[in-house]
Amino acid sequence: MSRTEIHDRDLDVNTLRPLADFVLIEVIEQPATSGGIILSLEKEGSRSEWVVGSVIEYGPGEFYPETGLTFPLYFKPGEYVVTMEYMGERIERDGKKYRLVRSHGIWCKLKFNGAPELLDIRKIEPITDHVLLKVKHEHKTKGGIILASKNPNLANSLAEVVAIGEGKVRKAATRATPLEIKVGETVCFATYAGAIIKMNGDTYRLCTEDDIIAVVKGLKR
């Protein structure tokens, strides 16, 4: 967890060239409210603020000496991404805030309705091994049996896979390993995995594939 802060009136962020898998983003200040979207990622017993930023520049990618390969990053200049408040090196210049964040500290990309500053999210795109889940509260089998539970933790541990990332890059691999789960499947995930996003009245969970325990067959969406 880095706490580096760079304050230099002579520093021009446009001259920075990130190395390895570092990504330079310009932070978008969050408004107090935004279309009913809760602008935080909630974890059990805590509430961690997220940071939304626009990608300015990024490094060539992460180098793996085991294979001699450098895996390029999944970003383009101008794309909007999400990282956590506690991550990255902080830079301030001319009243604007920037972050230098390693690629594994970026969870997803965002697309907006209208001006990005309003944070009216239209689409969430997980990257690498991240997964976006829509949490279920009532579950019904093909035979019509309702699998409701008096245990709220169990009731909220089933979800529909809404979107998945490109896959996880492993040290000895020559390409990203595709995720085992598929969009549309119902899965069971670790109760305290990832972070909660509440948007437009629906509850989503943004986590990694490692947080998913099993695919559940025979349940309707």
Side-chain angles (χ1 to χ4, degrees), residues 75-88:
F75 308 109
K76 296 179 181 178
E79 289 185 319
Y80 298 96
V81 296
V82 169
T83 186
M84 297 298 290
E85 171 61 33
Y86 57 79
M87 304 192 87

Side-chain angles (χ1 to χ4, degrees), residues 13-26 54-60 73 75-79 81 98-101 106:
V13 294
N14 293 315
T15 65
L16 292 178
R17 180 172 61 87
L19 300 177
D21 66 328
F22 278 95
V23 182
L24 176 63
I25 65 174
E26 180 179 346
S54 173
V55 174
I56 297 176
E57 187 59 88
Y58 50 88
L73 304 183
F75 308 109
K76 296 179 181 178
E79 289 185 319
V81 296
Y98 303 87
R99 291 288 177 93
L100 269 169
V101 186
I106 295 178

Side-chain angles (χ1 to χ4, degrees), residues 127-179:
I127 64 170
T128 58
D129 62 335
H130 286 90
V131 180
L132 181 65
L133 306 174
K134 185 173 183 181
V135 179
K136 292 175 175 284
H137 296 280
E138 182 178 87
H139 323 290
K140 186 179 294 184
T141 66
K142 289 183 178 179
I145 300 174
I146 296 177
L147 302 179
S149 172
K150 294 181 180 179
N151 184 338
N153 289 335
L154 178 60
N156 292 328
S157 65
L158 294 184
E160 177 189 344
V161 179
V162 176
I164 61 176
E166 303 85 356
K168 187 173 184 177
V169 177
R170 305 182 187 277
K171 289 186 177 181
T174 57
R175 62 183 179 85
T177 303
L179 303 188

